[in-house]
Amino acid sequence: MASLSNSNNDKLHFVLFPLMAPGHMIPVVDFGRLLAERGMIVTIVTTPHNAGRIEKSIARAVESGQDIRLVPIQFPCKEVGLQEGCENIDMLTSMEEYLQFFKATNLMEEAVMKLFEKLTPRPNCIISDMCFHYTSKLATKFQVPRIAFHVFCCFAVLSRHNILSSNILDTISSDSEYFTVPNMPVKVEYTRAQLPLLKIKQQSKKCVGMEI
């Protein structure tokens, strides 16, 4: 693992928080490498298991002269009832585990706050997955800008926002019943069965107070 200290205080320092899921980690790591290629300092914060998944990629970047660091933070599996080492969405087997997982991601807040105080040079920007709501408090405390990372296109984000904010899923009695998404510029229809992850996120929001 790379050191947290660096004497190149004239470089901008970006701290990245990818959600522990392949579809989120891969683009965030790629984005971090692009920043590092352009002379930025990049710190990627993740859990030990996920650090192992991307460590070779980061090592190759460091060997090529990029200033990119990989910092693991312990994931609180036991605190939420998950098995030890269950640190990525692709390791989950049930909706209950999804809810436990998202709760655990935001129990990392205290450890990340302590880490942030030790990072040198002082971070200039946070790029955080949308699921890590505590990073907005982190940005406020340390007075740095925060960019929320979405893996979805604008159409999907708007559809999801309108479905969740309208609570229309609560009015649907059957998983096979089609409903029209409110407040869209064109008619868009889904069934509840087509939106299993949205149902999980709706319950996750109620469980841990996530902004979705």
Side-chain angles (χ1 to χ4, degrees):
M1 298 298 173
S3 169
L4 297 183
S5 62
N6 184 9
S7 59
N8 298 321
N9 293 322
D10 56 330
K11 295 182 178 181
L12 292 177
H13 185 183
F14 289 78
V15 184
L16 278 54
F17 294 87
L19 180 68
M20 294 78 76
H24 292 242
M25 293 191 68
I26 292 171
V28 170
V29 171
D30 286 345
F31 185 61
R33 293 192 61 174
L34 287 173
L35 288 172
E37 286 176 2
R38 287 157 175 75
M40 312 300 175
I41 301 169
V42 175
T43 297
I44 299 176
V45 180
T46 189
T47 69
H49 172 83
N50 292 287
R53 290 190 179 193
I54 61 175
E55 191 169 15
K56 289 183 179 179
S57 176
I58 301 304
R60 288 194 298 269
V62 172
E63 290 172 2
S64 68
Q66 298 174 25
D67 196 345
I68 184 167
R69 305 98 179 266
L70 184 57
V71 181
I73 294 288
Q74 195 65 36
F75 191 64
C77 298
K78 292 183 178 180
E79 289 85 338
V80 298
L82 289 173
Q83 291 186 353
E84 192 67 33
C86 190
E87 301 176 14
N88 195 290
I89 282 180
D90 65 8
M91 303 171 73
L92 306 179
T93 60
S94 67
M95 181 180 292
E96 181 183 3
E97 288 186 349
Y98 270 92
L99 299 179
Q100 293 168 324
F101 181 87
F102 281 110
K103 183 176 182 179
T105 59
N106 288 291
L107 290 179
M108 298 167 67
E109 178 178 348
E110 183 178 351
V112 169
M113 288 285 185
K114 291 179 180 178
L115 166 69
F116 215 80
E117 293 174 351
K118 300 176 182 178
L119 291 176
T120 56
R122 183 180 183 273
N124 300 101
C125 183
I126 294 169
I127 300 177
S128 168
D129 197 281
M130 61 182 180
C131 296
F132 294 122
H133 72 273
Y134 68 82
T135 55
S136 61
K137 292 189 286 183
L138 184 70
T140 299
K141 178 178 178 179
F142 292 95
Q143 294 297 294
V144 295
R146 169 184 175 268
I147 300 172
F149 174 74
H150 288 256
V151 297
F152 305 108
C153 66
C154 293
F155 173 80
V157 171
L158 179 61
S159 296
R160 183 180 60 175
H161 171 76
N162 289 349
I163 292 171
L164 291 177
S165 62
S166 67
N167 294 317
I168 193 170
L169 291 181
D170 295 338
T171 69
I172 308 302
S173 59
S174 168
D175 284 348
S176 60
E177 175 186 352
Y178 278 91
F179 65 91
T180 300
V181 180
N183 302 318
M184 296 292 284
V186 296
K187 186 176 182 179
V188 180
E189 292 185 318
Y190 295 105
T191 67
R192 195 163 58 186
Q194 293 175 315
L195 305 170
L197 292 179
L198 192 62
K199 185 177 181 181
I200 290 169
K201 288 181 179 294
Q202 184 183 40
Q203 294 189 30
S204 299
K205 183 178 180 182
K206 295 177 181 179
C207 180
V208 299
M210 290 169 53
E211 294 181 5
I212 299 188

Short mmCIF file of all heavy atoms in Angstrom, two decimals, residues 129-177:
data_model
loop_
_atom_site.label_atom_id
_atom_site.label_comp_id
_atom_site.label_asym_id
_atom_site.label_seq_id
_atom_site.Cartn_x
_atom_site.Cartn_y
_atom_site.Cartn_z
N ASP A 129 -19.16 8.08 -4.42
CA ASP A 129 -20.36 7.43 -4.91
C ASP A 129 -21.57 8.02 -4.20
O ASP A 129 -21.51 8.38 -3.02
CB ASP A 129 -20.29 5.92 -4.65
CG ASP A 129 -21.30 5.17 -5.47
OD1 ASP A 129 -22.48 5.16 -5.08
OD2 ASP A 129 -20.92 4.59 -6.50
N MET A 130 -22.67 8.11 -4.92
CA MET A 130 -23.88 8.72 -4.38
C MET A 130 -24.38 8.03 -3.12
O MET A 130 -25.10 8.63 -2.32
CB MET A 130 -24.97 8.71 -5.44
CG MET A 130 -25.35 7.32 -5.90
SD MET A 130 -26.60 7.34 -7.19
CE MET A 130 -26.82 5.58 -7.47
N CYS A 131 -24.01 6.75 -2.93
CA CYS A 131 -24.52 6.00 -1.78
C CYS A 131 -23.84 6.38 -0.47
O CYS A 131 -24.36 6.07 0.61
CB CYS A 131 -24.35 4.51 -2.03
SG CYS A 131 -25.32 3.89 -3.43
N PHE A 132 -22.69 7.04 -0.53
CA PHE A 132 -21.98 7.42 0.70
C PHE A 132 -22.45 8.80 1.15
O PHE A 132 -21.76 9.80 0.92
CB PHE A 132 -20.47 7.40 0.48
CG PHE A 132 -19.89 6.05 0.19
CD1 PHE A 132 -19.19 5.81 -0.97
CD2 PHE A 132 -20.06 5.00 1.09
CE1 PHE A 132 -18.64 4.55 -1.24
CE2 PHE A 132 -19.53 3.75 0.84
CZ PHE A 132 -18.81 3.52 -0.33
N HIS A 133 -23.60 8.85 1.79
CA HIS A 133 -24.15 10.16 2.15
C HIS A 133 -23.28 10.91 3.16
O HIS A 133 -23.27 12.13 3.20
CB HIS A 133 -25.58 10.01 2.70
CG HIS A 133 -25.66 9.40 4.06
ND1 HIS A 133 -25.69 8.04 4.27
CD2 HIS A 133 -25.69 9.98 5.29
CE1 HIS A 133 -25.76 7.80 5.58
NE2 HIS A 133 -25.75 8.95 6.21
N TYR A 134 -22.50 10.19 3.97
CA TYR A 134 -21.68 10.86 4.98
C TYR A 134 -20.57 11.70 4.38
O TYR A 134 -20.01 12.58 5.05
CB TYR A 134 -21.10 9.84 5.98
CG TYR A 134 -20.06 8.92 5.39
CD1 TYR A 134 -18.73 9.32 5.25
CD2 TYR A 134 -20.39 7.63 4.99
CE1 TYR A 134 -17.77 8.47 4.71
CE2 TYR A 134 -19.44 6.77 4.45
CZ TYR A 134 -18.14 7.20 4.32
OH TYR A 134 -17.20 6.35 3.80
N THR A 135 -20.21 11.45 3.11
CA THR A 135 -19.13 12.24 2.52
C THR A 135 -19.53 13.69 2.30
O THR A 135 -18.67 14.56 2.15
CB THR A 135 -18.65 11.63 1.19
OG1 THR A 135 -19.76 11.47 0.30
CG2 THR A 135 -18.00 10.27 1.42
N SER A 136 -20.84 13.99 2.29
CA SER A 136 -21.26 15.40 2.23
C SER A 136 -20.90 16.11 3.53
O SER A 136 -20.49 17.27 3.52
CB SER A 136 -22.76 15.50 1.96
OG SER A 136 -23.51 14.90 2.99
N LYS A 137 -21.03 15.40 4.65
CA LYS A 137 -20.61 15.98 5.94
C LYS A 137 -19.09 16.12 6.00
O LYS A 137 -18.56 17.07 6.56
CB LYS A 137 -21.11 15.11 7.09
CG LYS A 137 -22.62 15.13 7.25
CD LYS A 137 -23.07 14.44 8.53
CE LYS A 137 -22.95 12.94 8.45
NZ LYS A 137 -23.45 12.26 9.66
N LEU A 138 -18.40 15.16 5.40
CA LEU A 138 -16.95 15.19 5.33
C LEU A 138 -16.50 16.44 4.56
O LEU A 138 -15.58 17.15 5.00
CB LEU A 138 -16.45 13.93 4.64
CG LEU A 138 -14.95 13.70 4.54
CD1 LEU A 138 -14.37 13.39 5.91
CD2 LEU A 138 -14.65 12.53 3.59
N ALA A 139 -17.14 16.70 3.44
CA ALA A 139 -16.79 17.86 2.63
C ALA A 139 -17.05 19.16 3.38
O ALA A 139 -16.26 20.11 3.31
CB ALA A 139 -17.58 17.84 1.32
N THR A 140 -18.16 19.21 4.11
CA THR A 140 -18.49 20.41 4.88
C THR A 140 -17.47 20.64 5.99
O THR A 140 -17.00 21.77 6.20
CB THR A 140 -19.90 20.29 5.47
OG1 THR A 140 -20.85 20.16 4.40
CG2 THR A 140 -20.24 21.50 6.31
N LYS A 141 -17.12 19.58 6.70
CA LYS A 141 -16.20 19.71 7.82
C LYS A 141 -14.83 20.21 7.37
O LYS A 141 -14.22 21.06 8.02
CB LYS A 141 -16.05 18.37 8.54
CG LYS A 141 -15.05 18.41 9.71
CD LYS A 141 -14.99 17.07 10.43
CE LYS A 141 -13.95 17.13 11.56
NZ LYS A 141 -13.88 15.83 12.29
N PHE A 142 -14.34 19.67 6.25
CA PHE A 142 -12.99 20.01 5.80
C PHE A 142 -12.99 21.08 4.69
O PHE A 142 -11.93 21.39 4.15
CB PHE A 142 -12.27 18.75 5.33
CG PHE A 142 -11.96 17.80 6.44
CD1 PHE A 142 -12.82 16.74 6.73
CD2 PHE A 142 -10.83 17.96 7.24
CE1 PHE A 142 -12.54 15.86 7.78
CE2 PHE A 142 -10.55 17.10 8.28
CZ PHE A 142 -11.41 16.03 8.56
N GLN A 143 -14.16 21.61 4.39
CA GLN A 143 -14.28 22.73 3.45
C GLN A 143 -13.65 22.42 2.10
O GLN A 143 -12.82 23.18 1.57
CB GLN A 143 -13.66 24.00 4.06
CG GLN A 143 -14.41 24.53 5.28
CD GLN A 143 -15.83 24.97 4.94
OE1 GLN A 143 -16.03 25.93 4.20
NE2 GLN A 143 -16.81 24.26 5.48
N VAL A 144 -14.03 21.28 1.53
CA VAL A 144 -13.58 20.92 0.18
C VAL A 144 -14.80 20.56 -0.66
O VAL A 144 -15.81 20.09 -0.11
CB VAL A 144 -12.59 19.72 0.21
CG1 VAL A 144 -11.30 20.11 0.91
CG2 VAL A 144 -13.21 18.50 0.86
N PRO A 145 -14.76 20.78 -1.96
CA PRO A 145 -15.91 20.43 -2.81
C PRO A 145 -16.09 18.92 -2.90
O PRO A 145 -15.12 18.16 -2.79
CB PRO A 145 -15.55 21.02 -4.17
CG PRO A 145 -14.06 21.16 -4.15
CD PRO A 145 -13.68 21.43 -2.72
N ARG A 146 -17.34 18.51 -3.07
CA ARG A 146 -17.67 17.08 -3.22
C ARG A 146 -18.46 16.89 -4.50
O ARG A 146 -19.44 17.59 -4.74
CB ARG A 146 -18.49 16.60 -2.03
CG ARG A 146 -19.11 15.20 -2.20
CD ARG A 146 -19.98 14.87 -1.01
NE ARG A 146 -20.70 13.61 -1.16
CZ ARG A 146 -21.93 13.50 -1.67
NH1 ARG A 146 -22.58 14.58 -2.06
NH2 ARG A 146 -22.51 12.32 -1.77
N ILE A 147 -18.02 15.94 -5.32
CA ILE A 147 -18.74 15.57 -6.54
C ILE A 147 -19.33 14.19 -6.32
O ILE A 147 -18.63 13.25 -5.95
CB ILE A 147 -17.79 15.55 -7.75
CG1 ILE A 147 -17.17 16.94 -7.97
CG2 ILE A 147 -18.53 15.10 -9.00
CD1 ILE A 147 -16.09 16.97 -9.01
N ALA A 148 -20.66 14.07 -6.51
CA ALA A 148 -21.33 12.78 -6.35
C ALA A 148 -21.26 12.00 -7.65
O ALA A 148 -21.57 12.53 -8.72
CB ALA A 148 -22.78 12.99 -5.92
N PHE A 149 -20.84 10.74 -7.56
CA PHE A 149 -20.68 9.90 -8.74
C PHE A 149 -21.91 9.03 -8.94
O PHE A 149 -22.31 8.30 -8.04
CB PHE A 149 -19.44 9.01 -8.60
CG PHE A 149 -19.28 8.01 -9.70
CD1 PHE A 149 -18.86 8.41 -10.96
CD2 PHE A 149 -19.56 6.66 -9.48
CE1 PHE A 149 -18.71 7.49 -11.99
CE2 PHE A 149 -19.41 5.73 -10.50
CZ PHE A 149 -18.99 6.15 -11.76
N HIS A 150 -22.53 9.11 -10.13
CA HIS A 150 -23.65 8.27 -10.51
C HIS A 150 -23.21 7.36 -11.65
O HIS A 150 -22.56 7.82 -12.59
CB HIS A 150 -24.83 9.12 -11.00
CG HIS A 150 -25.53 9.87 -9.92
ND1 HIS A 150 -26.75 9.49 -9.42
CD2 HIS A 150 -25.18 11.00 -9.26
CE1 HIS A 150 -27.12 10.35 -8.48
NE2 HIS A 150 -26.19 11.27 -8.37
N VAL A 151 -23.58 6.10 -11.60
CA VAL A 151 -23.27 5.21 -12.72
C VAL A 151 -24.41 5.17 -13.72
O VAL A 151 -24.28 4.58 -14.78
CB VAL A 151 -22.98 3.77 -12.23
CG1 VAL A 151 -21.75 3.74 -11.35
CG2 VAL A 151 -24.18 3.19 -11.50
N PHE A 152 -25.53 5.83 -13.40
CA PHE A 152 -26.69 5.77 -14.25
C PHE A 152 -26.73 6.95 -15.22
O PHE A 152 -26.19 8.03 -14.93
CB PHE A 152 -27.99 5.79 -13.42
CG PHE A 152 -28.06 4.72 -12.38
CD1 PHE A 152 -27.93 5.02 -11.04
CD2 PHE A 152 -28.25 3.40 -12.75
CE1 PHE A 152 -27.99 4.02 -10.08
CE2 PHE A 152 -28.31 2.40 -11.80
CZ PHE A 152 -28.19 2.72 -10.46
N CYS A 153 -27.40 6.77 -16.35
CA CYS A 153 -27.62 7.87 -17.28
C CYS A 153 -28.69 8.81 -16.70
O CYS A 153 -29.39 8.47 -15.74
CB CYS A 153 -28.05 7.35 -18.64
SG CYS A 153 -29.67 6.54 -18.65
N CYS A 154 -28.82 10.00 -17.30
CA CYS A 154 -29.78 10.99 -16.80
C CYS A 154 -31.21 10.47 -16.83
O CYS A 154 -32.01 10.75 -15.92
CB CYS A 154 -29.65 12.28 -17.60
SG CYS A 154 -28.10 13.15 -17.38
N PHE A 155 -31.56 9.70 -17.87
CA PHE A 155 -32.92 9.16 -17.98
C PHE A 155 -33.22 8.24 -16.79
O PHE A 155 -34.29 8.33 -16.18
CB PHE A 155 -33.07 8.39 -19.29
CG PHE A 155 -34.37 7.66 -19.41
CD1 PHE A 155 -35.53 8.32 -19.78
CD2 PHE A 155 -34.44 6.30 -19.16
CE1 PHE A 155 -36.74 7.64 -19.89
CE2 PHE A 155 -35.63 5.61 -19.26
CZ PHE A 155 -36.78 6.29 -19.63
N ALA A 156 -32.27 7.36 -16.46
CA ALA A 156 -32.48 6.43 -15.35
C ALA A 156 -32.56 7.18 -14.03
O ALA A 156 -33.38 6.84 -13.17
CB ALA A 156 -31.35 5.41 -15.32
N VAL A 157 -31.72 8.19 -13.85
CA VAL A 157 -31.73 8.96 -12.60
C VAL A 157 -33.06 9.68 -12.43
O VAL A 157 -33.66 9.68 -11.34
CB VAL A 157 -30.56 9.97 -12.58
CG1 VAL A 157 -30.69 10.92 -11.39
CG2 VAL A 157 -29.23 9.24 -12.49
N LEU A 158 -33.55 10.31 -13.50
CA LEU A 158 -34.83 11.02 -13.43
C LEU A 158 -35.98 10.05 -13.17
O LEU A 158 -36.86 10.33 -12.34
CB LEU A 158 -35.08 11.80 -14.72
CG LEU A 158 -36.40 12.58 -14.79
CD1 LEU A 158 -36.47 13.62 -13.68
CD2 LEU A 158 -36.57 13.24 -16.16
N SER A 159 -35.98 8.92 -13.86
CA SER A 159 -37.04 7.92 -13.64
C SER A 159 -37.06 7.45 -12.20
O SER A 159 -38.11 7.39 -11.56
CB SER A 159 -36.82 6.72 -14.58
OG SER A 159 -36.92 7.08 -15.92
N ARG A 160 -35.88 7.13 -11.68
CA ARG A 160 -35.78 6.65 -10.31
C ARG A 160 -36.23 7.71 -9.31
O ARG A 160 -36.98 7.42 -8.36
CB ARG A 160 -34.34 6.21 -10.01
CG ARG A 160 -34.16 5.63 -8.62
CD ARG A 160 -32.73 5.22 -8.39
NE ARG A 160 -31.83 6.36 -8.52
CZ ARG A 160 -30.52 6.30 -8.28
NH1 ARG A 160 -29.98 5.15 -7.95
NH2 ARG A 160 -29.77 7.36 -8.40
N HIS A 161 -35.79 8.94 -9.53
CA HIS A 161 -36.18 10.04 -8.63
C HIS A 161 -37.70 10.21 -8.61
O HIS A 161 -38.31 10.33 -7.54
CB HIS A 161 -35.51 11.34 -9.07
CG HIS A 161 -36.03 12.54 -8.35
ND1 HIS A 161 -35.67 12.83 -7.04
CD2 HIS A 161 -36.90 13.51 -8.73
CE1 HIS A 161 -36.29 13.93 -6.65
NE2 HIS A 161 -37.04 14.36 -7.65
N ASN A 162 -38.31 10.21 -9.79
CA ASN A 162 -39.76 10.41 -9.86
C ASN A 162 -40.54 9.26 -9.24
O ASN A 162 -41.58 9.47 -8.62
CB ASN A 162 -40.18 10.62 -11.31
CG ASN A 162 -39.71 11.97 -11.86
OD1 ASN A 162 -39.26 12.82 -11.11
ND2 ASN A 162 -39.82 12.15 -13.16
N ILE A 163 -40.04 8.05 -9.41
CA ILE A 163 -40.72 6.89 -8.81
C ILE A 163 -40.64 6.95 -7.29
O ILE A 163 -41.63 6.78 -6.58
CB ILE A 163 -40.12 5.58 -9.34
CG1 ILE A 163 -40.45 5.38 -10.82
CG2 ILE A 163 -40.63 4.38 -8.53
CD1 ILE A 163 -39.72 4.23 -11.48
N LEU A 164 -39.43 7.22 -6.77
CA LEU A 164 -39.25 7.22 -5.32
C LEU A 164 -39.94 8.42 -4.66
O LEU A 164 -40.56 8.28 -3.60
CB LEU A 164 -37.77 7.22 -4.98
CG LEU A 164 -37.01 5.92 -5.29
CD1 LEU A 164 -35.53 6.07 -4.98
CD2 LEU A 164 -37.59 4.75 -4.52
N SER A 165 -39.82 9.60 -5.26
CA SER A 165 -40.39 10.80 -4.64
C SER A 165 -41.92 10.78 -4.67
O SER A 165 -42.56 11.37 -3.81
CB SER A 165 -39.87 12.05 -5.33
OG SER A 165 -40.25 12.08 -6.70
N SER A 166 -42.50 10.09 -5.65
CA SER A 166 -43.97 10.02 -5.74
C SER A 166 -44.56 8.89 -4.91
O SER A 166 -45.78 8.85 -4.70
CB SER A 166 -44.38 9.83 -7.20
OG SER A 166 -43.98 8.54 -7.67
N ASN A 167 -43.71 7.94 -4.46
CA ASN A 167 -44.18 6.76 -3.71
C ASN A 167 -45.18 5.94 -4.51
O ASN A 167 -46.04 5.26 -3.93
CB ASN A 167 -44.80 7.18 -2.37
CG ASN A 167 -43.78 7.78 -1.43
OD1 ASN A 167 -42.67 7.29 -1.31
ND2 ASN A 167 -44.15 8.87 -0.77
N ILE A 168 -45.07 5.98 -5.83
CA ILE A 168 -46.05 5.28 -6.67
C ILE A 168 -45.98 3.77 -6.48
O ILE A 168 -46.99 3.07 -6.66
CB ILE A 168 -45.86 5.65 -8.15
CG1 ILE A 168 -47.07 5.17 -8.97
CG2 ILE A 168 -44.55 5.10 -8.72
CD1 ILE A 168 -47.10 5.70 -10.38
N LEU A 169 -44.82 3.23 -6.10
CA LEU A 169 -44.72 1.79 -5.88
C LEU A 169 -45.64 1.30 -4.77
O LEU A 169 -46.07 0.15 -4.77
CB LEU A 169 -43.27 1.39 -5.57
CG LEU A 169 -42.25 1.52 -6.71
CD1 LEU A 169 -40.87 1.07 -6.23
CD2 LEU A 169 -42.69 0.69 -7.91
N ASP A 170 -45.95 2.19 -3.82
CA ASP A 170 -46.84 1.82 -2.72
C ASP A 170 -48.28 1.62 -3.19
O ASP A 170 -49.08 1.04 -2.46
CB ASP A 170 -46.80 2.89 -1.63
CG ASP A 170 -45.43 3.00 -0.97
OD1 ASP A 170 -44.67 2.02 -1.04
OD2 ASP A 170 -45.13 4.06 -0.40
N THR A 171 -48.60 2.12 -4.38
CA THR A 171 -49.98 2.01 -4.88
C THR A 171 -50.16 0.83 -5.83
O THR A 171 -51.29 0.58 -6.27
CB THR A 171 -50.38 3.30 -5.64
OG1 THR A 171 -49.63 3.38 -6.87
CG2 THR A 171 -50.08 4.54 -4.80
N ILE A 172 -49.08 0.11 -6.12
CA ILE A 172 -49.14 -1.00 -7.06
C ILE A 172 -49.38 -2.30 -6.30
O ILE A 172 -48.64 -2.64 -5.38
CB ILE A 172 -47.84 -1.10 -7.88
CG1 ILE A 172 -47.51 0.25 -8.52
CG2 ILE A 172 -47.96 -2.18 -8.95
CD1 ILE A 172 -48.58 0.80 -9.41
N SER A 173 -50.41 -3.02 -6.69
CA SER A 173 -50.79 -4.23 -5.96
C SER A 173 -50.16 -5.50 -6.50
O SER A 173 -50.11 -6.53 -5.82
CB SER A 173 -52.32 -4.39 -5.97
OG SER A 173 -52.80 -4.45 -7.31
N SER A 174 -49.65 -5.46 -7.75
CA SER A 174 -49.10 -6.65 -8.37
C SER A 174 -47.74 -6.34 -9.00
O SER A 174 -47.55 -5.27 -9.57
CB SER A 174 -50.06 -7.18 -9.45
OG SER A 174 -49.44 -8.17 -10.25
N ASP A 175 -46.81 -7.31 -8.90
CA ASP A 175 -45.49 -7.12 -9.49
C ASP A 175 -45.55 -7.09 -11.02
O ASP A 175 -44.62 -6.61 -11.68
CB ASP A 175 -44.54 -8.24 -9.06
CG ASP A 175 -44.06 -8.07 -7.63
OD1 ASP A 175 -44.28 -6.98 -7.07
OD2 ASP A 175 -43.47 -9.02 -7.08
N SER A 176 -46.63 -7.60 -11.62
CA SER A 176 -46.76 -7.65 -13.09
C SER A 176 -47.59 -6.49 -13.64
O SER A 176 -47.74 -6.37 -14.87
CB SER A 176 -47.37 -8.98 -13.53
OG SER A 176 -48.66 -9.15 -12.96
N GLU A 177 -48.12 -5.64 -12.75
CA GLU A 177 -48.96 -4.53 -13.18
C GLU A 177 -48.09 -3.38 -13.69
O GLU A 177 -47.15 -2.95 -13.03
CB GLU A 177 -49.81 -4.04 -12.00
CG GLU A 177 -50.64 -2.80 -12.29
CD GLU A 177 -51.33 -2.29 -11.04
OE1 GLU A 177 -51.28 -2.99 -10.01
OE2 GLU A 177 -51.90 -1.18 -11.10
#
